[in-house]
Amino acid sequence: METDRRIILRLIAMGRISPTEAERLLLAWSSGRENDWVLAGCIVAASMAQLNLRTLLPGFFQACSMSPIQ
């Protein structure tokens, strides 16, 4: 995001875009990023809902308690 802001500030300084257009660009970029985070969260939640913890947890604990190969 820092790079994007710098690019937008340079465009304003060069006179290629107006401050109003820059504000629109920043809002569009941040709302798009926010949508990506919401989608990722929904995918994680749906994946976690599909797990069967009764079979997953014992195997996980067994794998954690195994001693490393020496």
Side-chain angles (χ1 to χ4, degrees), residues 2-67:
E2 189 66 32
T3 305
D4 295 334
R5 284 184 178 182
R6 287 181 186 173
I7 291 171
I8 291 172
L9 288 174
R10 285 182 188 158
L11 289 172
I12 293 171
M14 292 186 319
R16 292 194 176 183
I17 63 173
S18 69
T20 305
E21 292 170 326
E23 186 178 0
R24 287 185 199 156
L25 285 172
L26 288 172
L27 287 174
W29 185 83
S30 63
S31 69
R33 181 66 63 146
E34 184 177 313
N35 290 340
D36 293 345
W37 280 111
V38 169
L39 179 61
C42 289
I43 291 171
V44 168
S47 298
M48 295 297 288
Q50 298 297 318
L51 294 176
N52 186 353
L53 294 179
R54 288 186 196 151
T55 58
L56 181 66
L57 285 179
F60 175 73
F61 288 133
Q62 182 180 5
C64 291
S65 66
M66 295 174 68
S67 62

